[in-house]
Amino acid sequence: MWDSRYMEELNAKRQQALQGGGAARVEKQHKSGKLTARERLNILFDPGTFVEVDNLMELRSDNFGLQKKKVPGDGVVTGYGLVNGRKVFAYAEDFTVIGGSLGEIHAQKICRVMDMAIESRRPFVGINDSGGARIEEGIDSLNGYAGMFLRHTKASGMIPQIAVILGPCAGGACYSPGLCDFIFMSEDVSRMFITGPAVIKEVTHEEVSSYDLGSARVHMEKSGVCHFAYKGDKEVLMGVRQLLSYLPDNCDSRMAPVKGKSVDTTRKIPEIVPDNQRRIYDVRDVINTFVDKGTFFEVQRDFARNIVVGFARLEGRTIGLVANNPQVYGGSLDCDGSDKAARFVRVCDAFNIPLVSLVDIPGFFPGKAQEQSGIIRHGAKMLYAFSEATVPKVCLIMRKAFGGGYIAMNSKGIGADIVYAWPIAQIAVMGADGAVNIIFKKQMEAAEDPAAERERLIEEYEAKFMSPYAAAARGYVDEVIAPDETKRKLVTALEILKHKKATPVRRKHANIPL
């Protein structure tokens, strides 16, 4: 028989690790509206499946009295388990231990579980709640972040990476989430910024609150840093579980997990989309006429609202949707909208998720501000993303498809596999009004009734040059379809394309216009 002291010591160590920073700090965490690291992991993972690793690692530094703060685990819980029955690796920073600050051992634990995720080719989730670099450990902390950044970069496009901000995330720590595919934030407690209010006041003399600087609202609506925001910890983590259900394990998985089909919606497209090109509608209503009911999961809903992107299921399979939203800027593309769409397209392409674009675009958004903000550079990102993507790409032209915006929204010319158009679609360099004003200016001036002549020329131009049948005659549109055929056509197109293979160009790497 073993001496009982061995098991007593083990149980004591385990208990110390489970207690984190102690009962008082746990209570403070709860009072601030936050769950503990292990409580968060219990929500993220299927019940009873989480396996912790390196739970007894401890800091080594004795600078500035750190040894008195030493706790097994060193302020971060790392491990793996099942999410929706699939293996996922994760870490959760423990704010109750030295404010969740990152030191040498803390970083080593995170890097170890990242290596495990990369080697196992499984999704990775990082739950951030930290005061940032542990100043007492100096450059060891900075090197720890560097190791994480390197691994994020190596894992990019290989495995899905999701960052969750459930507390402070400041300074260099922000770049770990910034290198991930998706970022989740809590509306209540998340704060994310490179330099905090105190530093900003000292350097620029600006006074700003932490909320106005780095809250979920700021990053959802203005910066575009955040992809999803929910009320509190539990809601955020349930959102992560939902997102993972749309994503494959890695870049070699041909399809994301197939779920059972849901009942179709009954609302008809002609009731949603007016044939009057100037009237607006919500493109989400169009999406919900053909995707499996309740499966549209929008990404970055509150940022660059002129473009709508997100995941959905079509006959149970994951697809990525990129759609113009006529409710904002008429659906035209601006700098932020181009960035948003390009990033989403590249994520879908990395993980073999077929793309469907829904087109109703008058072109790129005009104006001095856009030009000076680099609309050429930003728009080029979207052109690049769709051109580079090798996944199945299907385009549906709903109404307007004008100018460079038409090309950028996944036209046949930049690689769309199949292009459909509704009978009300118009495809041209620009709208008939502008074209007639340029082409027939002198003819209208010479007419007895310039207004009547203008209307006649507009009708003639629309019929001859803008009709979807003109585009179909040249092969730019594969088929003009009735609205009630939309779902069936998309399903059959993606079915025939699901085994598509493209041979990449041999090179070190391409040079996207960042």
Tab-separated table of all heavy atoms in Angstrom, residues 282-303:
chain	number	residue	atom	x	y	z
A	282	ASP	N	-34.604	44.426	-47.485
A	282	ASP	CA	-33.582	43.810	-46.626
A	282	ASP	C	-33.126	42.507	-47.274
A	282	ASP	O	-33.913	41.565	-47.417
A	282	ASP	CB	-34.165	43.540	-45.235
A	282	ASP	CG	-33.107	43.109	-44.222
A	282	ASP	OD1	-32.014	42.673	-44.650
A	282	ASP	OD2	-33.376	43.199	-43.010
A	283	VAL	N	-31.877	42.459	-47.686
A	283	VAL	CA	-31.372	41.282	-48.395
A	283	VAL	C	-31.392	40.037	-47.516
A	283	VAL	O	-31.423	38.903	-48.024
A	283	VAL	CB	-29.951	41.546	-48.944
A	283	VAL	CG1	-28.907	41.506	-47.823
A	283	VAL	CG2	-29.602	40.562	-50.051
A	284	ARG	N	-31.431	40.221	-46.200
A	284	ARG	CA	-31.531	39.055	-45.308
A	284	ARG	C	-32.834	38.306	-45.539
A	284	ARG	O	-32.896	37.080	-45.374
A	284	ARG	CB	-31.427	39.499	-43.848
A	284	ARG	CG	-30.108	40.178	-43.496
A	284	ARG	CD	-30.137	40.753	-42.101
A	284	ARG	NE	-28.947	41.556	-41.807
A	284	ARG	CZ	-28.828	42.836	-42.098
A	284	ARG	NH1	-29.827	43.474	-42.690
A	284	ARG	NH2	-27.721	43.490	-41.815
A	285	ASP	N	-33.880	39.049	-45.903
A	285	ASP	CA	-35.161	38.398	-46.201
A	285	ASP	C	-35.047	37.517	-47.437
A	285	ASP	O	-35.678	36.460	-47.521
A	285	ASP	CB	-36.256	39.445	-46.407
A	285	ASP	CG	-36.578	40.220	-45.140
A	285	ASP	OD1	-36.342	39.670	-44.044
A	285	ASP	OD2	-37.067	41.364	-45.241
A	286	VAL	N	-34.240	37.940	-48.396
A	286	VAL	CA	-34.003	37.115	-49.584
A	286	VAL	C	-33.249	35.850	-49.196
A	286	VAL	O	-33.602	34.739	-49.614
A	286	VAL	CB	-33.201	37.902	-50.642
A	286	VAL	CG1	-32.894	37.010	-51.841
A	286	VAL	CG2	-33.962	39.145	-51.077
A	287	ILE	N	-32.211	36.010	-48.397
A	287	ILE	CA	-31.411	34.858	-47.960
A	287	ILE	C	-32.291	33.815	-47.283
A	287	ILE	O	-32.162	32.609	-47.539
A	287	ILE	CB	-30.284	35.327	-47.020
A	287	ILE	CG1	-29.244	36.148	-47.791
A	287	ILE	CG2	-29.616	34.138	-46.320
A	287	ILE	CD1	-28.229	36.868	-46.914
A	288	ASN	N	-33.206	34.282	-46.467
A	288	ASN	CA	-34.039	33.353	-45.704
A	288	ASN	C	-35.114	32.670	-46.539
A	288	ASN	O	-35.830	31.795	-46.028
A	288	ASN	CB	-34.672	34.077	-44.515
A	288	ASN	CG	-33.664	34.349	-43.411
A	288	ASN	OD1	-32.789	33.525	-43.148
A	288	ASN	ND2	-33.761	35.511	-42.777
A	289	THR	N	-35.223	33.025	-47.837
A	289	THR	CA	-36.166	32.310	-48.704
A	289	THR	C	-35.587	31.018	-49.250
A	289	THR	O	-36.327	30.155	-49.718
A	289	THR	CB	-36.604	33.182	-49.906
A	289	THR	OG1	-35.474	33.467	-50.725
A	289	THR	CG2	-37.272	34.455	-49.453
A	290	PHE	N	-34.257	30.879	-49.225
A	290	PHE	CA	-33.689	29.657	-49.817
A	290	PHE	C	-32.768	28.877	-48.888
A	290	PHE	O	-32.514	27.691	-49.138
A	290	PHE	CB	-32.975	29.967	-51.142
A	290	PHE	CG	-31.804	30.901	-51.046
A	290	PHE	CD1	-30.554	30.447	-50.660
A	290	PHE	CD2	-31.936	32.252	-51.367
A	290	PHE	CE1	-29.461	31.303	-50.594
A	290	PHE	CE2	-30.854	33.113	-51.311
A	290	PHE	CZ	-29.608	32.636	-50.927
A	291	VAL	N	-32.221	29.474	-47.830
A	291	VAL	CA	-31.385	28.685	-46.912
A	291	VAL	C	-32.282	27.912	-45.962
A	291	VAL	O	-33.457	28.234	-45.780
A	291	VAL	CB	-30.397	29.569	-46.122
A	291	VAL	CG1	-29.500	30.339	-47.062
A	291	VAL	CG2	-31.126	30.513	-45.169
A	292	ASP	N	-31.724	26.865	-45.364
A	292	ASP	CA	-32.486	26.091	-44.381
A	292	ASP	C	-32.943	27.015	-43.260
A	292	ASP	O	-32.166	27.858	-42.773
A	292	ASP	CB	-31.628	24.959	-43.819
A	292	ASP	CG	-31.208	23.958	-44.896
A	292	ASP	OD1	-31.761	24.002	-46.011
A	292	ASP	OD2	-30.319	23.128	-44.614
A	293	LYS	N	-34.164	26.857	-42.854
A	293	LYS	CA	-34.799	27.793	-41.931
A	293	LYS	C	-34.009	27.949	-40.636
A	293	LYS	O	-33.615	26.989	-39.996
A	293	LYS	CB	-36.216	27.332	-41.604
A	293	LYS	CG	-37.015	28.341	-40.794
A	293	LYS	CD	-38.450	27.872	-40.597
A	293	LYS	CE	-39.249	28.906	-39.806
A	293	LYS	NZ	-40.651	28.466	-39.601
A	294	GLY	N	-33.762	29.223	-40.276
A	294	GLY	CA	-33.104	29.531	-39.007
A	294	GLY	C	-31.610	29.301	-38.997
A	294	GLY	O	-30.984	29.374	-37.936
A	295	THR	N	-31.002	29.063	-40.168
A	295	THR	CA	-29.573	28.733	-40.173
A	295	THR	C	-28.677	29.896	-40.573
A	295	THR	O	-27.447	29.767	-40.498
A	295	THR	CB	-29.266	27.558	-41.124
A	295	THR	OG1	-29.575	27.939	-42.479
A	295	THR	CG2	-30.074	26.325	-40.742
A	296	PHE	N	-29.232	31.026	-41.016
A	296	PHE	CA	-28.364	32.133	-41.410
A	296	PHE	C	-27.715	32.732	-40.170
A	296	PHE	O	-28.384	33.183	-39.247
A	296	PHE	CB	-29.135	33.202	-42.173
A	296	PHE	CG	-28.271	34.364	-42.602
A	296	PHE	CD1	-27.100	34.149	-43.308
A	296	PHE	CD2	-28.613	35.669	-42.274
A	296	PHE	CE1	-26.283	35.212	-43.691
A	296	PHE	CE2	-27.816	36.741	-42.666
A	296	PHE	CZ	-26.647	36.504	-43.373
A	297	PHE	N	-26.379	32.740	-40.150
A	297	PHE	CA	-25.590	33.187	-39.007
A	297	PHE	C	-24.706	34.328	-39.491
A	297	PHE	O	-23.637	34.114	-40.054
A	297	PHE	CB	-24.763	32.015	-38.482
A	297	PHE	CG	-24.078	32.268	-37.160
A	297	PHE	CD1	-24.773	32.763	-36.069
A	297	PHE	CD2	-22.728	31.972	-37.004
A	297	PHE	CE1	-24.131	32.981	-34.851
A	297	PHE	CE2	-22.084	32.171	-35.791
A	297	PHE	CZ	-22.795	32.676	-34.716
A	298	GLU	N	-25.154	35.570	-39.274
A	298	GLU	CA	-24.499	36.727	-39.853
A	298	GLU	C	-23.216	37.078	-39.107
A	298	GLU	O	-23.148	37.015	-37.881
A	298	GLU	CB	-25.443	37.924	-39.864
A	298	GLU	CG	-24.913	39.103	-40.646
A	298	GLU	CD	-25.934	40.194	-40.875
A	298	GLU	OE1	-27.121	40.003	-40.544
A	298	GLU	OE2	-25.540	41.273	-41.369
A	299	VAL	N	-22.212	37.488	-39.863
A	299	VAL	CA	-20.908	37.880	-39.335
A	299	VAL	C	-20.764	39.395	-39.465
A	299	VAL	O	-21.082	39.970	-40.499
A	299	VAL	CB	-19.773	37.164	-40.100
A	299	VAL	CG1	-18.406	37.594	-39.569
A	299	VAL	CG2	-19.926	35.650	-39.997
A	300	GLN	N	-20.283	40.054	-38.413
A	300	GLN	CA	-20.064	41.511	-38.404
A	300	GLN	C	-21.324	42.280	-38.832
A	300	GLN	O	-21.271	43.190	-39.649
A	300	GLN	CB	-18.888	41.876	-39.323
A	300	GLN	CG	-17.531	41.475	-38.782
A	300	GLN	CD	-16.393	41.923	-39.676
A	300	GLN	OE1	-16.305	41.500	-40.826
A	300	GLN	NE2	-15.516	42.768	-39.166
A	301	ARG	N	-22.429	41.960	-38.226
A	301	ARG	CA	-23.715	42.529	-38.620
A	301	ARG	C	-23.738	44.057	-38.548
A	301	ARG	O	-24.341	44.716	-39.397
A	301	ARG	CB	-24.834	41.964	-37.725
A	301	ARG	CG	-26.215	42.500	-38.089
A	301	ARG	CD	-27.304	41.999	-37.146
A	301	ARG	NE	-28.581	42.604	-37.494
A	301	ARG	CZ	-29.488	42.065	-38.295
A	301	ARG	NH1	-29.252	40.887	-38.849
A	301	ARG	NH2	-30.615	42.680	-38.573
A	302	ASP	N	-23.097	44.634	-37.553
A	302	ASP	CA	-23.205	46.076	-37.328
A	302	ASP	C	-22.090	46.895	-37.965
A	302	ASP	O	-22.059	48.114	-37.823
A	302	ASP	CB	-23.251	46.362	-35.817
A	302	ASP	CG	-24.451	45.720	-35.150
A	302	ASP	OD1	-25.508	45.676	-35.781
A	302	ASP	OD2	-24.313	45.257	-33.999
A	303	PHE	N	-21.202	46.248	-38.673
A	303	PHE	CA	-20.082	46.950	-39.323
A	303	PHE	C	-20.266	46.907	-40.830
A	303	PHE	O	-20.632	45.872	-41.391
A	303	PHE	CB	-18.759	46.290	-38.942
A	303	PHE	CG	-17.555	46.892	-39.602
A	303	PHE	CD1	-17.142	48.174	-39.284
A	303	PHE	CD2	-16.827	46.173	-40.548
A	303	PHE	CE1	-16.019	48.738	-39.887
A	303	PHE	CE2	-15.707	46.725	-41.156
A	303	PHE	CZ	-15.311	48.012	-40.815
